[in-house]
Amino acid sequence: MPQAKRKPESLFSDDRYRVLLDAVTDYAIYMLDIDGRVASWNAGAKRFKGYEEAEILGEHFSRFYTPDDRAAGMPQRALDKAAHEGRFEGEGWRIRKNGERFWCHVVIDPIRGKNGQLLGYAKVTRDLTERKLAEESLKQSEQQFRLLVEGVTDYALYMLDPTGVITNWNTGAQRIKGYSRQEVIGQHYSLFFSTEDVANGEPMRGLNQALADGRFESQGWRIRKDGTRFWASVVVDPIRNDLGVLIGFAKITRDITDQIEAQRALEKTRESLFQSQKMEALGRLTGGIAHDFNNLLMVVMGSLEVVRRRVPQEPKVLTLLDNAIQGAQRGATLTQRMLAFARSQKLVEELVDAQELVRGMAEMLQRALGPQMRIEVRFPLSLRPILADSNQLEMALLNLVVNARDAMADDGQIIISAREVRLAADDGALQAGSYICLSVTDNGQGMDAQTLSHAREPFFTTKGVGKGTGLGLSMVHGFAEQSGGRLALESVVGQGTTAEIWLPVAQGDILDDVVDVEPLPPVTASRALRVLVVDDDPLVLVSTAAMLEDLGHSAVQAESALDALARLSDGEAVDLVLTDLAMPDLSGADLARRIKQRWPGLPVLLASGYADKLEDPGIELPHIGKPFNQNELLEALVVLCP
Ligand SMILES: Nc1ncnc2c1ncn2[C@@H]1O[C@H](COP(=O)(O)OP(=O)(O)OP(=O)(O)O)[C@@H](O)[C@H]1O
Ligand SMILES: [Mg+2]
């Protein structure tokens, strides 16, 4: 077999190498001559670069470089480096025949002759495009992720090292907590906790819990850089590497202050609605009981008074009777308070100068308090008048002062003050307008939340059986509400209580309408009258009749308005009709109206313990409050039939 002709310049004279090199398709292995021209080509080179051996042999290898790299003289530099240093290794973008770029790893070794003279270069190139693309896409997705995390503004997203030191920080964290990245990275995250929480070990507790349970979720107050608080919802997750070693914690914090506040406001509204519904129901119940009770007391008092006049003057019996009358009177006072709570008492609307009223009460108040307690009165220089019932307002203030006294030691101090407040808008409890706020402040024991929430309920007392009725604040509450105002209570245990009565300021047109009330003439015995008494309650009917007879008058009894009208139609001659107001079928007011039409000269006196509104405000009817005693009855009769 003839020997293949040996080309002296060929570096690949041995066919066995040729076969080997052509079998390698994962590497481009080829040679360059000393100037950088392609001198051999293998299958791998063809595969990645796309050139056939015939078209590339003799071409300069710089054509594989990108135009930029070529312009920068990269190809020659690589050769020089290989020649001088014995090897060049690098990675970079190269161009395939079809113009596509590919990323390759290149090694260039110089090839030297026996004497060390440079003959050319061996070039081994590997296509790493896929790996490069995978790396790039990983890098890109990591970068996108970082941008995403950093860009989130509604959540504070950041990481802690295993000891709780902050290692990174996003825009949301900066927005919510106020610290910039530079200020906070490297600090311990307990920075965001209140001093109390830090003292209680809260920060580490969160991390330990996250470690133990794999996650920690909580809510609580956190502190911003400017010292303000916000309510945070927090999640902490431990982060471990592939080997399971803890490398830190991921922390997500959200500011939910607004949400929590909205929820609190809703709860407060619900609670106050519940309170007002409860008071409403209690009011109806109390009013109903008081109304019936009032009638019964009326019977008892009326009858006792009559009996007292008629029994022989025996001291023992008289004492007992007086006790009974006193007991009944105390009962009547209670029912008055109950009616007041139920907003069902008869109130007189009058102009009240609060300062004058308080001044007038000073002596009485000081007596109620004892010499050691001090009352301080603080009023502004001028105060507009209130529209309210002055007697009831006095009662209300007295109740508040007595409560203050009971809550304090002997040397306590009470402040009575007044101020005018303008409400621009309806605040749920009060309508917009001007109010005078009269307040009684003590520095006594105060009330806890539980007591405070029940304080104005009828019969709620902490003073023990026989000491308090629990109707004081109920009366004040009902009176204030019925007068278009309200009772406000504020109290701190151990520090004291402030009770405020808000009452509407009298408006201009009312001020003009008010005329001075003529004082009542002194009570003198009236002539003997014949009175038609009307009441649907037979007990009340009988006792009223007895009272009248005892006063020297005579009484005709009717059990209903219709019965009364029938008697009058039958020609019953009477000087006066005394009728109950609240009756079934035809009310006392209706009866009065019919009498006014048919017997215009006949006076009618309405008796009521209940502030049933007269349906026709046009009729101004004389009125007597139930229960009344003989004196009060006498007074009313004298006015009507002098
Ligand atoms: N100034 C106050 N300081 C502390 N607690 C108070 C004060 N005012 C009222 N309270 C609490 O509210 C409860 C109810 O008061 P309220 O005036 O209605 O009834 P009372 O004072 O107990 O009985 P009464 O008024 O018939 O004497 C009291 O028992 C007390 O517990
Ligand atoms: Mg009281």
Side-chain angles (χ1 to χ4, degrees):
M1 214 168 114
Q3 277 261 313
K5 190 178 163 222
R6 194 181 179 106
K7 280 190 268 170
E9 296 307 320
S10 169
L11 297 167
F12 277 102
S13 50
D14 193 332
D15 283 343
R16 279 176 303 163
Y17 284 122
R18 176 91 224 172
V19 172
L20 171 67
L21 290 181
D22 270 343
V24 174
T25 56
D26 282 343
Y27 290 83
I29 302 175
Y30 58 98
M31 296 196 42
L32 302 177
D33 67 15
I34 194 160
D35 298 324
R37 276 191 295 270
V38 177
S40 77
W41 204 238
N42 81 331
K46 181 179 157 196
R47 192 166 74 84
F48 338 140
K49 309 217 184 200
Y51 296 96
E52 293 297 333
E53 183 172 10
E55 56 184 336
I56 199 69
L57 283 182
E59 294 291 335
H60 197 269
F61 88 112
S62 61
R63 69 159 51 220
F64 307 134
Y65 282 74
T66 63
D68 286 350
D69 286 353
R70 262 201 312 266
M74 293 261 291
Q76 191 54 48
R77 266 216 304 281
L79 294 185
D80 292 348
K81 188 162 188 214
H84 291 122
E85 295 176 14
R87 180 184 177 81
F88 167 86
E89 188 169 350
E91 287 193 7
W93 287 111
R94 298 289 184 272
I95 312 285
R96 296 191 218 277
K97 182 183 172 191
N98 64 8
E100 249 174 47
R101 279 153 40 112
F102 69 102
W103 184 264
C104 62
H105 175 259
V106 180
V107 177
I108 304 177
D109 287 302
I111 303 171
R112 297 189 184 275
K114 282 196 185 92
N115 308 325
Q117 81 276 26
L118 186 66
L119 299 177
Y121 302 91
K123 201 158 175 287
V124 179
T125 304
R126 195 170 166 203
D127 183 349
L128 294 180
T129 312
E130 270 174 26
R131 198 187 80 191
K132 177 74 180 167
L133 290 180
E135 265 173 26
E136 296 246 299
S137 88
L138 181 67
K139 212 161 103 190
Q140 203 181 6
S141 85
E142 273 174 358
Q143 191 181 14
Q144 274 177 349
F145 187 68
R146 211 183 70 233
L147 286 175
L148 170 76
V149 169
E150 279 176 1
V152 167
T153 55
D154 283 343
Y155 291 80
L157 303 176
Y158 58 98
M159 282 173 65
L160 306 176
D161 75 5
T163 65
V165 169
I166 300 160
T167 56
N168 61 34
W169 198 240
N170 81 335
T171 314
Q174 174 155 358
R175 193 183 67 84
I176 293 173
K177 312 214 185 202
Y179 294 96
S180 72
R181 217 158 285 194
Q182 292 85 331
E183 285 172 311
V184 91
I185 289 180
Q187 299 229 50
H188 197 267
Y189 94 117
S190 53
L191 184 66
F192 313 130
F193 289 75
S194 69
T195 2
E196 259 169 54
D197 283 351
V198 174
N200 292 335
E202 280 299 313
M204 285 326 277
R205 196 179 70 81
L207 299 189
N208 291 334
Q209 192 103 12
L211 280 181
D213 303 343
R215 181 187 183 77
F216 173 70
E217 270 194 71
S218 79
Q219 294 197 351
W221 289 110
R222 295 288 185 277
I223 316 284
R224 296 193 184 92
K225 184 185 168 190
D226 63 10
T228 53
R229 298 192 317 166
F230 68 99
W231 187 260
S233 152
V234 179
V235 181
V236 183
D237 287 292
I239 309 173
R240 299 177 190 278
N241 67 12
D242 294 341
L243 301 174
V245 177
L246 181 73
I247 54 175
F249 297 91
K251 209 160 163 288
I252 304 178
T253 303
R254 203 150 52 104
D255 177 354
I256 54 168
T257 317
D258 290 350
Q259 211 174 313
I260 289 292
E261 264 160 19
Q263 203 175 322
R264 293 223 168 117
L266 183 66
E267 273 162 20
K268 227 174 126 187
T269 317
R270 273 209 200 115
E271 170 67 12
S272 67
L273 180 66
F274 170 72
Q275 279 289 345
S276 75
Q277 281 172 343
K278 186 177 76 180
M279 292 305 251
E280 197 62 44
L282 278 172
R284 270 200 300 277
L285 179 69
T286 315
I289 295 172
H291 182 222
D292 287 351
F293 225 77
N294 219 21
N295 281 344
L296 296 177
L297 285 169
M298 163 119 188
V299 174
V300 173
M301 271 161 67
S303 308
L304 286 173
E305 281 186 24
V306 174
V307 171
R308 196 183 187 288
R309 277 163 203 259
R310 294 194 182 163
V311 291
Q313 296 294 306
E314 202 172 308
K316 257 192 185 161
V317 177
L318 285 183
T319 314
L320 285 175
L321 271 176
D322 285 343
N323 282 350
I325 290 172
Q326 257 179 35
Q329 271 164 350
R330 291 232 328 251
T333 315
L334 283 186
T335 54
Q336 277 313 312
R337 285 173 151 204
M338 285 160 72
L339 288 173
F341 171 71
R343 285 175 274 159
S344 305
Q345 68 181 336
K346 180 93 183 132
L347 290 180
V348 186
E349 285 205 333
E350 52 195 345
L351 287 180
V352 182
D353 177 340
Q355 180 150 28
E356 212 163 89
L357 179 124
V358 171
R359 204 182 294 136
M361 292 175 71
E363 205 182 308
M364 169 183 43
L365 291 179
Q366 196 64 63
R367 225 181 309 125
L369 293 181
Q372 233 122 13
M373 276 192 194
R374 283 166 300 139
I375 302 188
E376 197 183 311
V377 179
R378 291 183 192 163
F379 272 69
L381 281 179
S382 77
L383 205 58
R384 288 197 279 166
I386 309 170
L387 192 65
D389 185 319
S390 65
N391 284 329
Q392 294 302 314
L393 179 55
E394 276 191 6
M395 287 294 298
L397 280 172
L398 182 61
N399 271 315
L400 295 183
V401 169
V402 169
N403 278 350
R405 177 200 67 190
D406 293 348
M408 293 192 298
D410 284 346
D411 56 351
Q413 191 191 24
I414 296 175
I415 300 167
I416 301 180
S417 63
R419 64 179 204 274
E420 187 174 330
V421 185
R422 234 201 107 61
L423 282 188
D426 211 321
D427 77 349
L430 289 178
Q431 292 179 345
S434 293
Y435 294 85
I436 301 292
C437 165
L438 282 164
S439 69
V440 177
T441 303
D442 64 61
N443 55 0
Q445 67 197 29
M447 289 178 258
D448 58 22
Q450 179 78 0
T451 307
L452 191 60
S453 74
H454 291 296
R456 59 192 91 195
E457 288 169 14
F459 307 111
F460 175 84
T461 177
T462 56
K463 295 181 183 167
V465 184
K467 293 214 174 107
T469 62
L471 282 169
L473 288 179
S474 310
M475 175 265 154
V476 182
H477 168 84
F479 158 70
E481 299 238 321
Q482 200 182 340
S483 309
R486 68 164 168 164
L487 165 68
L489 291 175
E490 237 173 70
S491 193
V492 179
V493 174
Q495 292 187 20
T497 303
T498 296
E500 293 178 343
I501 304 176
W502 292 56
L503 291 169
V505 165
Q507 294 306 309
D509 47 345
I510 294 170
L511 293 177
D512 298 341
D513 284 355
V514 172
V515 283
D516 284 337
V517 182
E518 293 271 323
L520 290 175
V523 179
T524 49
S526 57
R527 63 199 158 89
L529 301 170
R530 192 166 164 74
V531 181
L532 174 56
V533 186
V534 192
D535 204 309
D536 58 320
D537 186 329
L539 278 175
V540 178
L541 190 58
V542 171
S543 90
T544 310
M547 238 191 238
L548 283 164
E549 279 161 10
D550 203 55
L551 287 170
H553 305 298
S554 59
V556 182
Q557 301 175 19
E559 285 199 5
S560 70
L562 292 175
D563 187 11
L565 286 172
R567 280 168 191 272
L568 290 174
S569 302
D570 286 351
E572 187 74 71
V574 293
D575 302 299
L576 175 93
V577 178
L578 168 55
T579 176
D580 184 27
L581 178 59
M583 290 187 293
D585 300 334
L586 204 57
S587 77
D590 290 330
L591 175 62
R593 209 172 290 120
R594 294 202 189 176
I595 289 174
K596 198 174 167 151
Q597 279 169 5
R598 287 185 58 188
W599 299 279
L602 182 56
V604 178
L605 177 61
L606 282 179
S608 168
Y610 211 47
D612 301 294
K613 292 231 166 61
L614 302 184
E615 305 99 279
D616 184 353
I619 298 186
E620 283 296 315
L621 293 167
H623 193 279
I624 183 167
K626 264 171 143 184
F628 45 83
N629 59 26
Q630 258 176 333
N631 247 337
E632 287 161 342
L633 183 57
L634 185 62
E635 242 174 65
L637 293 180
V638 166
V639 174
L640 284 175
C641 305

